[in-house]
Amino acid sequence: MRILRPGISPWPVITAAWDRAVDLLYPLRCPACGEFETPFCDACEARLIESAAVPRCPFCSAGWEGEDNCPLCFGFDALSGVQAPFEYNRISRSLIRALKYRNALPLAPVMARHIQPILAPGSYDAVFPVPLHRSRRRERGFNQAELLLEALAIESPPDRLIRARKTRAQYGLAPTERSRNISGAFRYEGPSLLGANVALLDDVVTTGATVNECARVLRDMGASNVNAIAFARATYSAPADKSLNI
Ligand SMILES: [Zn+2]
Ligand SMILES: [Zn+2]
């Protein structure tokens, strides 16, 4: 049970409890507007912002209006690039959160359908879901990135890329602290990836520190390219999202 501290609003807790209760009664409803009997309604789908609709960094796809790469890119020493069909906004965030925290499993194929054009089967030598630490996976019951991969019908041998160390949530940390927090968290246990063109799949890329660290491990195993692919990509200047316990 969560204890409320004085001065902290109880509304987020009450809202979350209400959402869970409604989820039990009506498991199929749009996470953005609450419409029943659809995992995601057409009106909300139309309010997703396609990546192509806003200026982006040519390398890491963060929303960015400058001419060259965005400042985030300086921290990416292992990634070959980031791609996502949608901007991280209120609507895409509601899908990501509902899949991850409210077990809205019918959303996985909905999200995968939009990822499919940039991650068609056969376009990479290997695709790895960004792993969760085994304790978090047990707690949640699944890894949302694995669900997306399954929905895409892409085979990936399990437990090759693993999260060997539990990390703190990345929000509220300065960029250097983020890199330190995630450094050494992943391990690869599998055959050599010499010369391989590899993709990492996750639901969302925000700071990119996690996927860059995964990419470093895969590059150490010989991968020549490691692209991160996600359902949504945060804008460069987006504030840290405390609601994502990644
Ligand atoms: Zn809706
Ligand atoms: Zn960039």
Side-chain angles (χ1 to χ4, degrees):
M1 186 183 155
R2 208 160 138 190
I3 308 293
L4 296 178
R5 280 174 291 157
I8 302 285
S9 165
W11 286 111
V13 178
I14 292 170
T15 309
W18 173 255
D19 276 342
R20 273 197 298 277
V22 177
D23 283 343
L24 285 174
L25 287 171
Y26 305 101
L28 204 60
R29 65 187 179 113
C30 173
C33 71
E35 184 176 314
F36 294 113
E37 289 174 21
T38 172
F40 186 42
C41 80
D42 291 347
C44 290
E45 186 161 345
R47 286 158 66 204
L48 285 167
I49 299 172
E50 287 187 19
S51 289
V54 283
R56 307 208 149 258
C57 169
F59 178 81
C60 77
S61 294
W64 169 249
E65 295 196 355
E67 279 185 13
D68 299 319
N69 291 10
C70 80
L72 272 179
C73 287
F74 293 108
F76 298 149
D77 52 1
L79 273 177
S80 310
V82 183
Q83 286 176 281
F86 296 112
E87 173 72 18
Y88 185 52
N89 73 342
R90 190 183 73 78
I91 306 289
S92 53
R93 175 178 177 271
S94 70
L95 266 76
I96 288 160
R97 284 186 49 80
L99 174 62
K100 193 150 47 186
Y101 303 127
R102 285 166 45 198
N103 292 0
L105 306 188
L107 284 175
V110 173
M111 292 161 74
R113 179 162 50 83
H114 291 287
I115 297 171
Q116 205 274 337
I118 52 175
L119 189 54
S123 49
Y124 287 91
D125 299 317
V127 184
F128 299 108
V130 171
L132 294 178
H133 188 263
R134 64 177 185 281
S135 63
R136 179 151 289 151
R137 195 184 185 290
R138 198 166 44 231
E139 206 174 88
R140 194 172 291 169
F142 58 87
N143 172 356
Q144 66 282 355
E146 288 171 16
L147 294 184
L148 293 174
L149 205 59
E150 274 169 35
L152 285 158
I154 296 175
E155 303 242 341
S156 181
D159 300 327
R160 291 241 165 124
L161 182 64
I162 59 172
R163 191 180 292 230
R165 182 167 64 75
K166 213 171 171 183
T167 52
R168 286 168 60 199
Q170 296 279 71
Y171 67 79
L173 299 179
T176 50
E177 290 175 315
R178 283 183 199 136
S179 309
R180 209 176 308 135
N181 181 40
I182 206 84
S183 174
F186 300 97
R187 208 168 57 216
Y188 175 82
E189 293 178 353
S192 163
L193 295 169
L194 197 61
N197 185 24
V198 177
L200 285 162
L201 179 64
D202 210 351
D203 51 356
V204 60
V205 171
T206 53
T207 67
T210 302
V211 279
N212 186 63
E213 188 60 24
C214 288
R216 188 197 318 277
V217 170
L218 299 172
R219 287 231 186 223
D220 284 349
M221 290 303 293
S224 56
N225 273 300
V226 184
N227 272 300
I229 290 174
F231 177 70
R233 176 73 172 107
T235 289
Y236 164 69
S237 56
D241 190 337
K242 296 180 186 176
S243 73
L244 290 179
N245 187 12
I246 300 173

